[in-house]
Tab-separated table of all heavy atoms in Angstrom:
chain	number	residue	atom	x	y	z
A	678	LYS	N	-0.546	4.721	-6.748
A	678	LYS	CA	-1.332	3.796	-7.523
A	678	LYS	C	-0.476	2.866	-8.438
A	678	LYS	O	-0.779	1.667	-8.554
A	678	LYS	CB	-2.395	4.517	-8.317
A	678	LYS	CG	-3.327	5.373	-7.486
A	678	LYS	CD	-4.094	4.596	-6.462
A	678	LYS	CE	-5.046	5.469	-5.655
A	678	LYS	NZ	-5.453	4.863	-4.418
A	679	ALA	N	0.562	3.424	-9.064
A	679	ALA	CA	1.417	2.596	-9.871
A	679	ALA	C	2.142	1.505	-9.100
A	679	ALA	O	2.223	0.355	-9.538
A	679	ALA	CB	2.409	3.492	-10.640
A	680	GLY	N	2.638	1.892	-7.938
A	680	GLY	CA	3.296	0.914	-7.082
A	680	GLY	C	2.364	-0.187	-6.608
A	680	GLY	O	2.639	-1.385	-6.660
A	681	ILE	N	1.141	0.229	-6.182
A	681	ILE	CA	0.143	-0.740	-5.741
A	681	ILE	C	-0.200	-1.705	-6.836
A	681	ILE	O	-0.273	-2.931	-6.650
A	681	ILE	CB	-1.099	-0.005	-5.177
A	681	ILE	CG1	-0.754	0.752	-3.932
A	681	ILE	CG2	-2.240	-0.990	-4.944
A	681	ILE	CD1	-1.790	1.776	-3.494
A	682	HIS	N	-0.371	-1.145	-8.071
A	682	HIS	CA	-0.723	-1.997	-9.183
A	682	HIS	C	0.382	-3.022	-9.494
A	682	HIS	O	0.163	-4.180	-9.741
A	682	HIS	CB	-0.986	-1.125	-10.441
A	682	HIS	CG	-1.359	-1.900	-11.669
A	682	HIS	ND1	-2.555	-2.546	-11.776
A	682	HIS	CD2	-0.668	-2.145	-12.810
A	682	HIS	CE1	-2.581	-3.166	-12.947
A	682	HIS	NE2	-1.439	-2.914	-13.630
A	683	ALA	N	1.627	-2.588	-9.467
A	683	ALA	CA	2.780	-3.484	-9.715
A	683	ALA	C	2.835	-4.589	-8.629
A	683	ALA	O	3.050	-5.760	-8.954
A	683	ALA	CB	4.105	-2.700	-9.709
A	684	TYR	N	2.603	-4.233	-7.364
A	684	TYR	CA	2.603	-5.221	-6.283
A	684	TYR	C	1.499	-6.216	-6.457
A	684	TYR	O	1.696	-7.440	-6.284
A	684	TYR	CB	2.577	-4.531	-4.919
A	684	TYR	CG	3.725	-3.632	-4.638
A	684	TYR	CD1	3.473	-2.386	-4.045
A	684	TYR	CD2	5.025	-4.006	-4.899
A	684	TYR	CE1	4.553	-1.557	-3.746
A	684	TYR	CE2	6.095	-3.150	-4.622
A	684	TYR	CZ	5.832	-1.946	-4.062
A	684	TYR	OH	6.888	-1.086	-3.757
A	685	GLU	N	0.338	-5.761	-6.846
A	685	GLU	CA	-0.786	-6.646	-7.052
A	685	GLU	C	-0.535	-7.604	-8.224
A	685	GLU	O	-0.842	-8.786	-8.169
A	685	GLU	CB	-2.100	-5.863	-7.304
A	685	GLU	CG	-2.638	-5.193	-6.069
A	685	GLU	CD	-3.798	-4.270	-6.364
A	685	GLU	OE1	-3.965	-3.825	-7.478
A	685	GLU	OE2	-4.517	-3.965	-5.370
A	686	LYS	N	0.062	-7.096	-9.326
A	686	LYS	CA	0.384	-7.957	-10.463
A	686	LYS	C	1.359	-9.038	-10.073
A	686	LYS	O	1.349	-10.128	-10.603
A	686	LYS	CB	0.982	-7.115	-11.592
A	686	LYS	CG	-0.022	-6.373	-12.428
A	686	LYS	CD	0.559	-5.522	-13.464
A	686	LYS	CE	1.321	-6.315	-14.492
A	686	LYS	NZ	1.833	-5.507	-15.625
A	687	ALA	N	2.254	-8.713	-9.104
A	687	ALA	CA	3.244	-9.697	-8.706
A	687	ALA	C	2.743	-10.682	-7.665
A	687	ALA	O	3.395	-11.703	-7.332
A	687	ALA	CB	4.441	-8.939	-8.068
A	688	GLY	N	1.544	-10.434	-7.089
A	688	GLY	CA	0.933	-11.390	-6.149
A	688	GLY	C	0.653	-10.908	-4.775
A	688	GLY	O	0.183	-11.654	-3.910
A	689	PHE	N	0.905	-9.632	-4.493
A	689	PHE	CA	0.585	-9.040	-3.230
A	689	PHE	C	-0.913	-8.717	-3.134
A	689	PHE	O	-1.525	-8.366	-4.114
A	689	PHE	CB	1.389	-7.784	-2.947
A	689	PHE	CG	2.799	-8.016	-2.472
A	689	PHE	CD1	3.817	-8.178	-3.376
A	689	PHE	CD2	3.068	-8.146	-1.129
A	689	PHE	CE1	5.130	-8.381	-2.967
A	689	PHE	CE2	4.381	-8.392	-0.693
A	689	PHE	CZ	5.389	-8.485	-1.574
A	690	CYS	N	-1.478	-8.823	-1.912
A	690	CYS	CA	-2.873	-8.496	-1.617
A	690	CYS	C	-2.902	-7.446	-0.482
A	690	CYS	O	-2.015	-7.440	0.392
A	690	CYS	CB	-3.629	-9.719	-1.191
A	690	CYS	SG	-3.704	-10.996	-2.424
A	691	ALA	N	-3.943	-6.648	-0.468
A	691	ALA	CA	-4.113	-5.648	0.576
A	691	ALA	C	-4.304	-6.416	1.923
A	691	ALA	O	-5.021	-7.375	1.983
A	691	ALA	CB	-5.338	-4.769	0.333
A	692	ALA	N	-3.636	-5.938	2.978
A	692	ALA	CA	-3.739	-6.615	4.294
A	692	ALA	C	-4.244	-5.616	5.353
A	692	ALA	O	-4.698	-6.044	6.388
A	692	ALA	CB	-2.383	-7.181	4.687
A	693	GLY	N	-4.090	-4.293	5.072
A	693	GLY	CA	-4.581	-3.339	6.093
A	693	GLY	C	-4.090	-1.935	5.764
A	693	GLY	O	-3.347	-1.713	4.741
A	694	THR	N	-4.436	-0.994	6.649
A	694	THR	CA	-4.114	0.402	6.466
A	694	THR	C	-3.570	0.956	7.745
A	694	THR	O	-4.119	0.722	8.815
A	694	THR	CB	-5.380	1.237	6.033
A	694	THR	OG1	-5.921	0.678	4.838
A	694	THR	CG2	-5.071	2.693	5.840
A	695	ILE	N	-2.505	1.701	7.606
A	695	ILE	CA	-1.974	2.446	8.760
A	695	ILE	C	-2.361	3.898	8.437
A	695	ILE	O	-1.776	4.551	7.486
A	695	ILE	CB	-0.445	2.259	8.895
A	695	ILE	CG1	-0.120	0.789	9.007
A	695	ILE	CG2	0.050	3.055	10.116
A	695	ILE	CD1	1.379	0.504	8.944
A	696	ARG	N	-3.273	4.439	9.189
A	696	ARG	CA	-3.844	5.766	8.871
A	696	ARG	C	-2.877	6.919	9.167
A	696	ARG	O	-2.204	6.907	10.174
A	696	ARG	CB	-5.130	5.971	9.660
A	696	ARG	CG	-6.193	4.883	9.252
A	696	ARG	CD	-7.468	5.036	9.986
A	696	ARG	NE	-7.291	4.988	11.412
A	696	ARG	CZ	-8.136	5.514	12.326
A	696	ARG	NH1	-9.231	6.115	11.909
A	696	ARG	NH2	-7.904	5.406	13.569
A	697	GLU	N	-2.799	7.857	8.196
A	697	GLU	CA	-2.005	9.035	8.278
A	697	GLU	C	-0.577	8.753	8.690
A	697	GLU	O	0.048	9.512	9.417
A	697	GLU	CB	-2.671	10.031	9.262
A	697	GLU	CG	-4.049	10.481	8.788
A	697	GLU	CD	-4.658	11.570	9.637
A	697	GLU	OE1	-3.960	12.134	10.524
A	697	GLU	OE2	-5.811	11.881	9.425
A	698	ALA	N	-0.003	7.723	8.158
A	698	ALA	CA	1.371	7.309	8.492
A	698	ALA	C	2.433	7.898	7.571
A	698	ALA	O	3.618	7.769	7.848
A	698	ALA	CB	1.484	5.795	8.512
A	699	GLY	N	2.057	8.500	6.448
A	699	GLY	CA	3.072	8.994	5.536
A	699	GLY	C	2.707	10.321	4.931
A	699	GLY	O	1.683	10.958	5.264
A	700	TYR	N	3.606	10.769	4.018
A	700	TYR	CA	3.428	11.982	3.223
A	700	TYR	C	3.535	11.697	1.760
A	700	TYR	O	4.433	10.935	1.377
A	700	TYR	CB	4.476	13.042	3.630
A	700	TYR	CG	4.209	13.725	4.984
A	700	TYR	CD1	4.782	13.244	6.120
A	700	TYR	CD2	3.369	14.847	4.993
A	700	TYR	CE1	4.511	13.863	7.348
A	700	TYR	CE2	3.096	15.461	6.228
A	700	TYR	CZ	3.690	14.996	7.341
A	700	TYR	OH	3.452	15.593	8.570
A	701	TRP	N	2.707	12.305	0.970
A	701	TRP	CA	2.771	12.178	-0.491
A	701	TRP	C	2.634	13.615	-1.023
A	701	TRP	O	1.626	14.249	-0.791
A	701	TRP	CB	1.622	11.281	-0.998
A	701	TRP	CG	1.615	11.100	-2.503
A	701	TRP	CD1	0.898	11.863	-3.366
A	701	TRP	CD2	2.252	10.088	-3.215
A	701	TRP	NE1	1.096	11.395	-4.656
A	701	TRP	CE2	1.918	10.330	-4.591
A	701	TRP	CE3	3.114	9.062	-2.880
A	701	TRP	CZ2	2.396	9.488	-5.624
A	701	TRP	CZ3	3.579	8.259	-3.906
A	701	TRP	CH2	3.224	8.430	-5.256
A	702	LEU	N	3.707	14.073	-1.677
A	702	LEU	CA	3.719	15.414	-2.271
A	702	LEU	C	3.331	16.442	-1.175
A	702	LEU	O	2.559	17.393	-1.415
A	702	LEU	CB	2.781	15.519	-3.455
A	702	LEU	CG	3.098	14.560	-4.595
A	702	LEU	CD1	2.088	14.664	-5.691
A	702	LEU	CD2	4.497	14.818	-5.128
A	703	GLY	N	3.879	16.294	0.040
A	703	GLY	CA	3.695	17.238	1.080
A	703	GLY	C	2.375	17.107	1.810
A	703	GLY	O	2.123	17.892	2.795
A	704	GLN	N	1.534	16.158	1.510
A	704	GLN	CA	0.269	15.986	2.159
A	704	GLN	C	0.235	14.653	2.969
A	704	GLN	O	0.755	13.668	2.509
A	704	GLN	CB	-0.897	15.899	1.126
A	704	GLN	CG	-1.026	17.120	0.263
A	704	GLN	CD	-1.370	18.395	1.082
A	704	GLN	OE1	-2.324	18.363	1.854
A	704	GLN	NE2	-0.665	19.470	0.906
A	705	VAL	N	-0.359	14.690	4.136
A	705	VAL	CA	-0.500	13.487	4.965
A	705	VAL	C	-1.312	12.489	4.195
A	705	VAL	O	-2.307	12.815	3.569
A	705	VAL	CB	-1.131	13.845	6.320
A	705	VAL	CG1	-1.437	12.546	7.106
A	705	VAL	CG2	-0.258	14.767	7.125
A	706	CYS	N	-0.899	11.215	4.267
A	706	CYS	CA	-1.662	10.122	3.581
A	706	CYS	C	-1.534	8.830	4.387
A	706	CYS	O	-0.733	8.699	5.275
A	706	CYS	CB	-1.177	9.912	2.187
A	706	CYS	SG	0.470	9.262	2.034
A	707	ASP	N	-2.419	7.900	4.035
A	707	ASP	CA	-2.390	6.597	4.667
A	707	ASP	C	-1.269	5.756	4.055
A	707	ASP	O	-0.811	6.018	2.909
A	707	ASP	CB	-3.719	5.844	4.452
A	707	ASP	CG	-4.847	6.521	5.220
A	707	ASP	OD1	-4.602	7.280	6.124
A	707	ASP	OD2	-6.018	6.171	4.862
A	708	GLU	N	-0.867	4.762	4.757
A	708	GLU	CA	0.070	3.765	4.266
A	708	GLU	C	-0.611	2.440	4.256
A	708	GLU	O	-1.268	2.031	5.217
A	708	GLU	CB	1.298	3.718	5.232
A	708	GLU	CG	2.521	3.162	4.609
A	708	GLU	CD	3.743	3.483	5.478
A	708	GLU	OE1	3.641	3.507	6.707
A	708	GLU	OE2	4.849	3.636	4.934
A	709	LEU	N	-0.541	1.730	3.130
A	709	LEU	CA	-1.170	0.410	2.993
A	709	LEU	C	-0.191	-0.660	3.286
A	709	LEU	O	1.003	-0.581	2.932
A	709	LEU	CB	-1.701	0.238	1.571
A	709	LEU	CG	-2.664	1.292	1.046
A	709	LEU	CD1	-3.096	0.968	-0.360
A	709	LEU	CD2	-3.857	1.408	1.971
A	710	VAL	N	-0.629	-1.737	3.946
A	710	VAL	CA	0.199	-2.903	4.169
A	710	VAL	C	-0.366	-3.946	3.227
A	710	VAL	O	-1.546	-4.151	3.083
A	710	VAL	CB	0.052	-3.400	5.644
A	710	VAL	CG1	0.831	-4.683	5.856
A	710	VAL	CG2	0.487	-2.311	6.617
A	711	MET	N	0.566	-4.587	2.518
A	711	MET	CA	0.211	-5.658	1.558
A	711	MET	C	1.050	-6.890	1.919
A	711	MET	O	2.167	-6.759	2.447
A	711	MET	CB	0.485	-5.210	0.149
A	711	MET	CG	-0.286	-3.939	-0.261
A	711	MET	SD	0.074	-3.429	-1.974
A	711	MET	CE	-0.997	-4.597	-2.835
A	712	ASP	N	0.552	-8.114	1.584
A	712	ASP	CA	1.295	-9.297	1.858
A	712	ASP	C	1.124	-10.283	0.734
A	712	ASP	O	0.202	-10.208	-0.080
A	712	ASP	CB	0.956	-9.917	3.209
A	712	ASP	CG	-0.496	-10.380	3.306
A	712	ASP	OD1	-1.207	-10.514	2.266
A	712	ASP	OD2	-0.935	-10.638	4.428
A	713	ALA	N	2.060	-11.186	0.624
A	713	ALA	CA	2.034	-12.311	-0.307
A	713	ALA	C	2.396	-13.596	0.482
A	713	ALA	O	3.345	-13.609	1.255
A	713	ALA	CB	3.042	-12.074	-1.444
A	714	LEU	N	1.615	-14.642	0.223
A	714	LEU	CA	1.834	-15.887	0.926
A	714	LEU	C	2.463	-16.904	-0.016
A	714	LEU	O	2.094	-16.986	-1.172
A	714	LEU	CB	0.518	-16.471	1.441
A	714	LEU	CG	-0.254	-15.577	2.428
A	714	LEU	CD1	-1.569	-16.254	2.801
A	714	LEU	CD2	0.590	-15.316	3.689
A	715	SER	N	3.358	-17.743	0.460
A	715	SER	CA	4.022	-18.764	-0.309
A	715	SER	C	2.976	-19.688	-0.964
A	715	SER	O	3.115	-20.035	-2.155
A	715	SER	CB	4.973	-19.563	0.559
A	715	SER	OG	5.544	-20.605	-0.138
A	716	ARG	N	2.018	-20.101	-0.174
A	716	ARG	CA	1.022	-21.080	-0.712
A	716	ARG	C	0.176	-20.504	-1.839
A	716	ARG	O	-0.464	-21.250	-2.606
A	716	ARG	CB	0.120	-21.602	0.387
A	716	ARG	CG	-0.719	-20.582	1.065
A	716	ARG	CD	-1.541	-21.291	2.200
A	716	ARG	NE	-2.054	-20.337	3.155
A	716	ARG	CZ	-3.186	-19.668	3.008
A	716	ARG	NH1	-3.916	-19.804	1.908
A	716	ARG	NH2	-3.557	-18.819	3.923
């Protein structure tokens, strides 16, 4: 959540989810894709 908040403050937006693509504290979790556009 802290990383997502920092990226949003800098201008990134949610673009999609890669389901069950990672691990967080030993538990399977989703990975979010975020993007920022020049315009």
Side-chain angles (χ1 to χ4, degrees):
K678 302 301 182 199
I681 293 166
H682 181 70
Y684 298 136
E685 288 173 339
K686 281 178 63 175
F689 279 90
C690 297
T694 302
I695 305 171
R696 298 180 302 156
E697 297 186 8
Y700 283 94
W701 180 268
L702 302 175
Q704 300 296 311
V705 173
C706 67
D707 293 344
E708 201 166 34
L709 304 180
V710 177
M711 301 179 80
D712 63 17
L714 300 177
S715 175
R716 63 182 162 83

